[in-house]
Amino acid sequence: MICEVNGEPALAYWISYLELGFGGPVERQLYPYALKFEVAEVCGLIAVDANTFVQEMKLDFERTSDSYPQYLHDLGYPSIDNLVQNEGAFCETIRRYLYSELFGRCFPWSPPYRDVRWIISSVDAVRAHSGVIEVLGQAFRKVESHCNASR
């Protein structure tokens, strides 16, 4: 994975993400971020989650006849190996449903978060091109705690 925030390289351990309020308004200056993954890397990180999600959507359809999200229904509720062949559907699944699982594997929470500098607050787009999956959005600078300033 390659990480950039505000056009500058960033180490993965400098980054975390909002769990509560993700995608909502933020009263801090926002900076663009980009995460770039090889397709196989993304699949390895979220395969179990993606397959579980798709099967849950299939079961929901079988129980309720609700085909939401329609694109998964139209594709026959594919496994990740088949879903990745449809780049648009694969990217949409990450953008709308599996970004949290992806971030949880890329940026594990590890108190005391000393090294975290950036907090991801949104996923605005997920794109695929030339075997690369790119996750784009907004991040803000971590608010420093002054409680332990005497260290």
Side-chain angles (χ1 to χ4, degrees), residues 18-26 30 99 120-124 138 140:
L18 287 177
E19 275 192 280
L20 299 175
F22 191 85
V26 175
L30 294 171
Y99 65 85
I120 293 174
S121 66
S122 70
V123 173
D124 300 332
Q138 300 293 312
F140 59 88

Side-chain angles (χ1 to χ4, degrees), residues 10 12 20 34 38 43 45 47-48 50 54 65 73 78 85 90 96 113-114 117 134 141 147 151:
L20 299 175
E38 296 293 324
C43 289
L45 290 167
V48 171
V54 171
S65 298
H73 176 73
Q85 301 303 314
F90 185 65
R96 292 185 64 194
Y113 316 109
R114 254 190 292 268
R117 299 177 185 182
E134 191 172 40
R141 288 189 190 277
C147 295
R151 284 196 222 183

Side-chain angles (χ1 to χ4, degrees), residues 2 30-31 33 80 89-90 136:
I2 297 171
L30 294 171
Y31 300 87
Y33 76 84
I80 193 169
F90 185 65
L136 307 165

Side-chain angles (χ1 to χ4, degrees), residues 27-100:
E27 295 183 11
R28 301 195 42 80
Q29 183 173 352
L30 294 171
Y31 300 87
Y33 76 84
L35 307 174
K36 299 172 186 171
F37 303 86
E38 296 293 324
V39 170
E41 180 183 13
V42 172
C43 289
L45 290 167
I46 64 167
V48 171
D49 299 306
N51 288 329
T52 299
F53 170 72
V54 171
Q55 286 308 303
E56 287 172 357
M57 294 299 98
K58 180 180 180 182
L59 286 171
D60 187 55
F61 171 72
E62 290 168 354
R63 289 183 192 133
T64 67
S65 298
D66 181 1
S67 59
Y68 181 82
Q70 188 66 44
Y71 71 91
L72 287 178
H73 176 73
D74 294 346
L75 293 171
Y77 299 101
S79 68
I80 193 169
D81 296 330
N82 293 322
L83 183 60
V84 76
Q85 301 303 314
N86 184 314
E87 290 178 345
F90 185 65
C91 290
E92 184 69 0
T93 300
I94 294 169
R95 186 184 72 79
R96 292 185 64 194
Y97 305 108
L98 297 178
Y99 65 85
S100 182

